[in-house]
Amino acid sequence: MAERLLTFSIFRYNPNTPEIKPYMQEYKLEEMPGMTLFVALNKIREEQDPSLMFDFVCRAAICGSCAMLVNGKPRLACKTLTKDLPSRITLLPLPVFKLVGDLSVDTGTWFRHMSLKTEAWIHTTKEFDPQAREERMDNETALKIYEAERCIECGCCIAGCATANIREDFIGAAGINRVARFMVDPRDERSPQEYFEVVGTEEGTFGCVGLMACEDNCPMGLPLQMQLAYVRRRMAAAGLAARPQTRAC
Amino acid sequence: MSVYQTHTTDVLVIGAGLAGERTAIEAATHGLDVIILSLVPPRRSHSTAAQGGMQASLGNCAMGYGDNPDIHFEDTVKGSDWGCDQDVARLFANTAPIAVRQMAYWGVPWNRVVAGRKTLPDGREIEDLKEYEGLITARDFGGTAKWRTCYTSDGTGHTLQYTMDSIVIKMGITVHDRMEAIALIHDGENCYGAVARCLRTGQLHAYLARSTVIATGGYGRLYGVSTNAVINEGSGMFLALETGVVPLGNMEAVQFHPTGMVPVGILITEGARGDGGYLLDKNLHRFMPDYEPKKKELASRDVVSRRMIQHIRKGYGVESKWGPHLWLDIRHLGRKHIYTNLREIANICKNFAGIDPAKDLIPVRPTQHYSMGGVRTNIDGHAYGLKGLFAVGEAACWDLHGFNRLGGNSLAETIVAGMVVGKKVAEYTLGAALDCPLKLVDEHVKRQENRINDLISGRLGKENVYELRKQMEDTLMEYVGIFRNGPDLQKAVDKLQELYRRSLRLGLRSSGKYASPELASALRLPGMIRLALCIAYGALNRTESRGSHAREDYPYRDDVNWLKRTLAYWPPGAELPLLKYEPVKITELPPGDRGYGESSAANAARTETAHDKEGNNG
């Protein structure tokens, strides 16, 4: 491909200076072979505008830090090659999450809250015995847990979700996938009823309106709709079974 | 009078990767109040990126039968080229199985033993027995006599970190993320906590604690091409160094990983070779057996990296616009294996090189990967020089790895050290009072405010942080790499000294206000260059070759003069580190032949016989 001059139109706003209204700022950059948005944004910051804020950590699509709206779509910037984009590239921060500044958003607080809300840890009454051999597990089960555990909490599914964009308390596909991860884990002793308390509501699994953007946007290719269907089925069954005791939602 | 927020806690942990979180959990289990500071949300930590696995001698899989802590200990000491502390290696090898099992109890979905006969890629037949079915299995890694590396497909670090963080959340441990420690609060004898800068608002905070733990990981980003995350800038190490009283150990011991992908430097896990991947040259010849007939691609990382560079220097590298590289071939492992057990590799290849490793070769080259050196501590994790300061994980020189770390021993170290050191931190903290004079806190915060004001006003100069940083990265890459020699190292030291002086005259181009990323970089750069000088100067003075430290002008290990650890201090106002040395502790295994590598090849005949006697367990 012939070398192009790229135009980046980037969202600028610092919540610490609310008197300066949000605006779009343009930067020009010559495209290089193999250029990713990681490379491009760092070049812009180092050579043109050292005040520009954005987040990268692993730059290898493993840590989930660098999600942003790339020409309107939630993407991991580190693995987005400029050659796959038109010469005019618009970058906006992910919606839903609190803005730190420019392209940087606070996903950490959101995901920690979601973990607390879904109690995303193994619930067990067993004690750990340091002298004992580990408990056995079928390898197929281990692989199944790992499949659901592959979420990197980048927030792309949340940003692209209509429900998450209109209701603050919705745990979204990432939250539902997290619940599914513990549901398939035999070490977790929670009953369906206990899970129902956590996610059998419109903040949880019944809040989804089925637009499926979560799965389309997931950079890890997780089967988020299948996970939703799985958790929903389990919750519907638990909800029906526990109807007299459970408040309506 | 400065305006800053003050937080008081029992234990302050700087860094929320596996080592920091495990230490925090241990301290909190003892009833202590803990605050963790982290540059990023804990689950973004670089620990998450570890793909390959965690060593523990469970001996559950067919190629691991008979494994035990003695063999793990021996492999670790040999791997370290006798540079490690053997008391630490012993404690570590004994504790690793408990650590792995506890992580299973907490929720890590370790891959498990599936009984039955299988054929390995090299044609060997093995059988996993029914009696071990469902227990934690292991894969092969370099420099180990048994298959010992426990794993979850190739997302081991991810599952460990997510599980560890779930326990932190469950226990309600306080985490302040986007908070960067920029100085330790100390009086030259005791450490009282840290001054930190909020990466959301730019505000300064003082954290006062009865004990402080540095768990900030490595310094890979001092090098221009590294497998490390961009946050791995060695901050905890230079904070400790800046106290003037805490030394860094063995900073010249820098590990290069054989398979960083060209050109981006993203890591292709050792699991690829562990599972049977080969290295090929430009003629598609598998060259490693020519150099290392026994261990082949699975000699230790320092050895494989050097053999690759040697082979490239002989003209067998594949020419590319980014310089010569070699190939990693995993095609013969089959699409199914690659897209399950090595799926992250497949993703990385697709995303960053546009290739499919099931049918394409992967361009690789040795790339900066790990720092064996770090804040020198005793076996309890207590830093030399300051009471109440601890260090753990890659930020520390505990010293488990000596001059070369074996793959799979870093994840194991983070968790084992977190358990061991966390307990010692708790014991220390329970017996310590927090009697920090507030005047001292004020002084420390004021000093940081002045630094920030100087940078913003440009009062001291207008040097550009990104330009100096680039020159530092290039200097280390060019002169302090895999093969080293006196004249090049001297060049590096001279250049880095010049850069250091210039780094004291940085001026910002942006306003530097609030969470300014340029200010954050400018605050770090002088510390980073000090680390670079510790590496280069330590390497210049160590006139031998040991583990990852390979001097072309001193090609042999010299146990008579150099069976000792470098301690680098930075006295106030210095422009070079002050180097001291201490003996390496040998308890069980006296220095000998590693069984692989260049020194071993010198007496290949003897090694050959010994190996044949041992049987074919390599």
Side-chain angles (χ1 to χ4, degrees), chain A residues 118-136:
Chain A
T118 57
E119 300 188 21
W121 52 84
I122 297 277
H123 289 53
T124 178
T125 50
K126 290 181 188 146
E127 292 283 323
F128 175 64
D129 177 359
Q131 303 312 320
R133 210 180 224 185
E134 66 275 18
E135 279 196 25
R136 285 171 203 263

Side-chain angles (χ1 to χ4, degrees), chain A residues 55 57 59 63 65 105-107 112 126 134-137 139 147 149-153 181 187, chain B residues 43-44 60 101 104-108 112 131 133-134 136 158 173 178 200 221 226 229-230 343:
Chain A
D55 293 322
V57 175
R59 59 80 176 92
C63 80
S65 301
V105 295
D106 184 357
T107 47
R112 191 167 164 112
K126 290 181 188 146
E134 66 275 18
E135 279 196 25
R136 285 171 203 263
M137 181 186 279
N139 195 48
E147 279 307 300
E149 174 115 7
R150 289 174 55 243
C151 167
I152 55 172
E153 300 193 345
R181 179 250 174 270
R187 293 166 294 196
Chain B
R43 293 175 186 211
R44 311 275 193 239
N60 293 331
R101 289 176 175 138
Y105 166 79
W106 278 338
V108 170
R112 302 291 176 140
E131 62 174 296
E133 188 151 62
I136 296 167
H158 175 92
I173 294 172
R178 288 184 185 265
R200 291 181 169 87
R221 286 288 148 182
S226 167
V230 298
R343 178 169 47 193

